[in-house]
Amino acid sequence: RLALFSNNLVSAMMPTMGLESVTALELQRNQLDSMPTFTRMDKLQTLEVARNTLAVLPDDISQCYALETLDATRNLLTSLPDSIVDLQSLSKLIVPNNKLTSLPAELYKMKLT
């Protein structure tokens, strides 16, 4: 678990090398306007980025094969990446209080709880 919540982080552009075993990344309550690359975070189960200033989630979030919970409450998201539907383990997608105007066409096929 890597807990970096309630700081003043503006960017989460950090190397993910060495974070391969992280199962929870807590970045909520910062000032993030960008996200790290997720290419090596295939064990990540929980991603909390609520209460930031994110306008987009990166497409490579789909490489978080074990991701079960994604909380992006209270950001500036206008859409979700189409690749989000590739997250087979995702059961909780929490995105209220954003600026969503569209959703991926295949979102309804996901087994969210």
Side-chain angles (χ1 to χ4, degrees), residues 30 42 71 73-74 77 83 85 93 97 104 106 113:
N30 280 288
D42 59 352
D71 184 354
T73 301
R74 289 193 183 183
L77 301 174
S83 63
V85 301
L93 176 61
N97 297 307
E106 303 290 314
T113 58

mmCIF file of all heavy atoms in Angstrom, residues 30 42 71 73-74 77 83 85 93 97 104 106 113:
data_model
loop_
_atom_site.group_PDB
_atom_site.id
_atom_site.type_symbol
_atom_site.label_atom_id
_atom_site.label_comp_id
_atom_site.label_asym_id
_atom_site.label_seq_id
_atom_site.Cartn_x
_atom_site.Cartn_y
_atom_site.Cartn_z
ATOM 1 N N ASN A 30 -5.432 15.570 -3.209
ATOM 2 C CA ASN A 30 -4.245 16.300 -3.624
ATOM 3 C C ASN A 30 -4.696 17.324 -4.660
ATOM 4 O O ASN A 30 -5.872 17.701 -4.667
ATOM 5 C CB ASN A 30 -3.199 15.338 -4.197
ATOM 6 C CG ASN A 30 -2.414 14.630 -3.105
ATOM 7 O OD1 ASN A 30 -1.584 15.224 -2.439
ATOM 8 N ND2 ASN A 30 -2.694 13.349 -2.908
ATOM 9 N N ASP A 42 0.541 -4.277 -12.380
ATOM 10 C CA ASP A 42 -0.488 -5.288 -12.632
ATOM 11 C C ASP A 42 -1.018 -5.965 -11.365
ATOM 12 O O ASP A 42 -1.932 -6.776 -11.437
ATOM 13 C CB ASP A 42 -0.024 -6.313 -13.655
ATOM 14 C CG ASP A 42 1.240 -7.040 -13.243
ATOM 15 O OD1 ASP A 42 1.857 -6.662 -12.228
ATOM 16 O OD2 ASP A 42 1.615 -7.993 -13.949
ATOM 17 N N ASP A 71 -11.763 4.780 -7.519
ATOM 18 C CA ASP A 71 -12.529 5.904 -6.982
ATOM 19 C C ASP A 71 -11.926 7.195 -7.526
ATOM 20 O O ASP A 71 -10.827 7.579 -7.151
ATOM 21 C CB ASP A 71 -12.506 5.902 -5.460
ATOM 22 C CG ASP A 71 -13.372 6.998 -4.850
ATOM 23 O OD1 ASP A 71 -13.913 7.837 -5.606
ATOM 24 O OD2 ASP A 71 -13.512 7.017 -3.625
ATOM 25 N N THR A 73 -13.911 10.121 -7.585
ATOM 26 C CA THR A 73 -14.919 11.096 -7.180
ATOM 27 C C THR A 73 -14.342 12.507 -7.170
ATOM 28 O O THR A 73 -13.183 12.707 -6.820
ATOM 29 C CB THR A 73 -15.404 10.748 -5.745
ATOM 30 O OG1 THR A 73 -15.932 9.435 -5.748
ATOM 31 C CG2 THR A 73 -16.444 11.730 -5.254
ATOM 32 N N ARG A 74 -15.163 13.482 -7.532
ATOM 33 C CA ARG A 74 -14.815 14.904 -7.462
ATOM 34 C C ARG A 74 -13.518 15.264 -8.172
ATOM 35 O O ARG A 74 -12.548 15.732 -7.560
ATOM 36 C CB ARG A 74 -14.761 15.389 -6.024
ATOM 37 C CG ARG A 74 -16.113 15.465 -5.395
ATOM 38 C CD ARG A 74 -16.080 16.226 -4.108
ATOM 39 N NE ARG A 74 -17.416 16.210 -3.519
ATOM 40 C CZ ARG A 74 -17.739 16.822 -2.429
ATOM 41 N NH1 ARG A 74 -16.851 17.516 -1.769
ATOM 42 N NH2 ARG A 74 -18.960 16.744 -1.960
ATOM 43 N N LEU A 77 -13.248 15.012 -14.705
ATOM 44 C CA LEU A 77 -13.348 14.064 -15.811
ATOM 45 C C LEU A 77 -14.544 14.379 -16.694
ATOM 46 O O LEU A 77 -15.661 14.555 -16.199
ATOM 47 C CB LEU A 77 -13.484 12.640 -15.281
ATOM 48 C CG LEU A 77 -12.359 12.120 -14.385
ATOM 49 C CD1 LEU A 77 -12.718 10.747 -13.836
ATOM 50 C CD2 LEU A 77 -11.052 12.073 -15.158
ATOM 51 N N SER A 83 -10.620 2.058 -22.746
ATOM 52 C CA SER A 83 -9.881 0.890 -22.255
ATOM 53 C C SER A 83 -10.343 0.435 -20.875
ATOM 54 O O SER A 83 -10.012 -0.671 -20.442
ATOM 55 C CB SER A 83 -8.382 1.188 -22.223
ATOM 56 O OG SER A 83 -8.107 2.248 -21.319
ATOM 57 N N VAL A 85 -13.067 -0.660 -19.988
ATOM 58 C CA VAL A 85 -13.907 -1.860 -20.089
ATOM 59 C C VAL A 85 -13.076 -3.136 -20.149
ATOM 60 O O VAL A 85 -13.611 -4.237 -19.996
ATOM 61 C CB VAL A 85 -14.877 -1.796 -21.292
ATOM 62 C CG1 VAL A 85 -15.790 -0.590 -21.174
ATOM 63 C CG2 VAL A 85 -14.126 -1.787 -22.607
ATOM 64 N N LEU A 93 -16.638 1.074 -9.635
ATOM 65 C CA LEU A 93 -16.232 2.256 -10.388
ATOM 66 C C LEU A 93 -17.000 3.423 -9.787
ATOM 67 O O LEU A 93 -18.217 3.528 -9.934
ATOM 68 C CB LEU A 93 -16.568 2.085 -11.871
ATOM 69 C CG LEU A 93 -16.283 3.280 -12.773
ATOM 70 C CD1 LEU A 93 -14.790 3.638 -12.749
ATOM 71 C CD2 LEU A 93 -16.742 2.991 -14.192
ATOM 72 N N ASN A 97 -19.721 13.379 -9.150
ATOM 73 C CA ASN A 97 -19.208 14.743 -9.029
ATOM 74 C C ASN A 97 -18.012 15.017 -9.931
ATOM 75 O O ASN A 97 -16.973 15.502 -9.494
ATOM 76 C CB ASN A 97 -18.863 15.078 -7.572
ATOM 77 C CG ASN A 97 -20.084 15.050 -6.688
ATOM 78 O OD1 ASN A 97 -21.081 15.701 -6.988
ATOM 79 N ND2 ASN A 97 -20.030 14.285 -5.625
ATOM 80 N N PRO A 104 -17.854 5.061 -22.056
ATOM 81 C CA PRO A 104 -17.511 4.058 -23.059
ATOM 82 C C PRO A 104 -18.744 3.234 -23.442
ATOM 83 O O PRO A 104 -19.546 2.867 -22.579
ATOM 84 C CB PRO A 104 -16.462 3.186 -22.360
ATOM 85 C CG PRO A 104 -15.894 4.061 -21.295
ATOM 86 C CD PRO A 104 -17.026 4.945 -20.862
ATOM 87 N N GLU A 106 -19.148 0.211 -24.220
ATOM 88 C CA GLU A 106 -19.198 -1.148 -23.677
ATOM 89 C C GLU A 106 -19.294 -1.195 -22.155
ATOM 90 O O GLU A 106 -19.250 -2.259 -21.556
ATOM 91 C CB GLU A 106 -17.968 -1.939 -24.131
ATOM 92 C CG GLU A 106 -17.791 -2.011 -25.646
ATOM 93 C CD GLU A 106 -18.870 -2.891 -26.282
ATOM 94 O OE1 GLU A 106 -19.122 -3.981 -25.762
ATOM 95 O OE2 GLU A 106 -19.440 -2.456 -27.298
ATOM 96 N N THR A 113 -20.473 -3.825 -9.139
ATOM 97 C CA THR A 113 -21.398 -4.064 -8.026
ATOM 98 C C THR A 113 -21.787 -2.768 -7.363
ATOM 99 O O THR A 113 -21.185 -1.754 -7.521
ATOM 100 C CB THR A 113 -20.774 -4.983 -6.951
ATOM 101 O OG1 THR A 113 -19.575 -4.387 -6.477
ATOM 102 C CG2 THR A 113 -20.487 -6.340 -7.523
#
